[in-house]
Amino acid sequence: MFFFDPVWLLFVIPGLLLGIWAQIKLSHAYGKYSRVNVESGVTGAETAREILDHAGLNNVPVEEIPGRLSDHYDPAKRALFLSSENFRGRTVAAVGVAAHESGHALQHQAAYGLFNFRMAIVPVTQFASMAYAGIFFVGIIFGLLKIVLPIVIVTFAIITLFQLVTLPVEYDASRRAKEQLFRLGLVREDERAGVSKVLDAAALTYVAALVSAILNLLYYITLSRNSRN
Ligand SMILES: [Zn+2]
């Protein structure tokens, strides 16, 4: 018996639409400010280097990686990776993204509680992300939904918790980024708004991910209640 629940769409579509809207907004803001050069003339790589060195993080390397917006800070390697566009770019967008990723390195250095907590739950979240869909479908195929639903709910709660913790970590990294950019004179007063627009748009994609996770979790909880009746 194949199982399709139209109610699921009610829970999934709002998160999906929000996600698409956030991606469009990010694409728009990033595209716009990738064409606006910073007055200071620094590249994203130079920006990150400057912020890291200023914080005494001379041992954190800044490396170039392929892909669009593939920029990230790797806490295990204690290294910062910037996409070519942001590594080489001398634009408001490149400098903003590079500063944001440096912000994560600053969080790590400061042992910022939520950053550490997020890092600690990465392995269990990765496992939960892989496991929940499989468990759910096994439950449907073998008619064991009642038994597997509590497990699905727990695994999805872990995913939701991860998204919930990610949000303040991302906003905090952007806050640290802007603080350093202005303190070190890497962006001018009139370039602030552009940096904020790019970083706020990026943060919105995490808001969308959180909303999607919460709605999915609510769906599984609803399903569990209905299956008990
Ligand atoms: Zn980030």
Side-chain angles (χ1 to χ4, degrees), residues 71-73 97 100-104 107 115 118 166 169-171 173-174 199 202-203 206:
D71 313 75
H72 65 280
Y73 169 70
V97 172
H100 171 91
E101 299 309 333
S102 309
H104 286 306
Q107 290 175 329
F115 179 84
R118 183 179 182 273
T166 295
V169 170
E170 291 304 322
Y171 277 106
S174 290
L199 297 184
Y206 294 103

Side-chain angles (χ1 to χ4, degrees), residues 21 23 29 31 42 49 51 79 87 90 95 132 142 168 176 178 223:
W21 179 67
Q23 282 300 332
V42 291
R49 192 69 273 151
I51 293 173
F87 188 91
R90 299 173 192 279
V95 165
Y132 97 89
F142 295 102
R176 289 174 198 255
K178 283 184 258 181
L223 204 60

Side-chain angles (χ1 to χ4, degrees), residues 1 67 100 117 122 137 158-159 181 192 223:
M1 272 292 281
H100 171 91
F117 180 65
V122 164
F137 283 108
I158 295 168
I159 296 168
L181 283 176
R192 279 179 185 233
L223 204 60

Side-chain angles (χ1 to χ4, degrees), residues 64-218:
E64 186 176 355
I65 48 162
R68 186 175 160 87
L69 287 175
S70 49
D71 313 75
H72 65 280
Y73 169 70
D74 186 332
K77 292 179 185 157
R78 289 186 184 266
L80 212 145
F81 298 92
L82 297 178
S83 60
S84 297
E85 208 178 341
N86 294 331
F87 188 91
R88 295 161 186 270
R90 299 173 192 279
T91 66
V92 170
V95 165
V97 172
H100 171 91
E101 299 309 333
S102 309
H104 286 306
L106 298 181
Q107 290 175 329
H108 196 186
Q109 181 191 35
Y112 172 55
L114 287 175
F115 179 84
N116 283 352
F117 180 65
R118 183 179 182 273
M119 196 163 66
I121 62 170
V122 164
V124 65
T125 305
Q126 282 173 339
F127 178 75
S129 306
M130 286 188 301
Y132 97 89
I135 296 168
F136 187 56
F137 283 108
V138 164
I140 289 167
I141 291 163
F142 295 102
L144 300 169
L145 209 52
K146 259 185 207 173
I147 296 163
V148 300
L149 266 177
I151 307 168
V152 171
I153 289 168
V154 169
T155 47
F156 221 85
I158 295 168
I159 296 168
T160 307
L161 175 68
F162 181 77
Q163 298 293 358
L164 187 67
V165 175
T166 295
L167 210 54
V169 170
E170 291 304 322
Y171 277 106
D172 179 81
S174 290
R175 184 188 60 76
R176 289 174 198 255
K178 283 184 258 181
E179 209 175 270
Q180 296 306 314
L181 283 176
F182 308 134
R183 182 186 289 176
L184 300 171
L186 298 165
V187 303
R188 285 192 336 192
E189 188 69 35
D190 60 327
E191 293 165 338
R192 279 179 185 233
V195 169
S196 290
K197 274 184 186 152
V198 173
L199 297 184
D200 287 349
L204 201 63
T205 62
Y206 294 103
V207 175
L210 174 62
V211 170
S212 283
I214 291 171
L215 289 174
N216 266 292
L217 180 62
L218 286 176

Side-chain angles (χ1 to χ4, degrees), residues 47-66:
T47 299
R49 192 69 273 151
E50 182 90 11
I51 293 173
L52 294 172
D53 286 352
H54 194 79
L57 291 171
N58 315 66
N59 54 344
V60 173
V62 180
E63 289 170 25
E64 186 176 355
I65 48 162

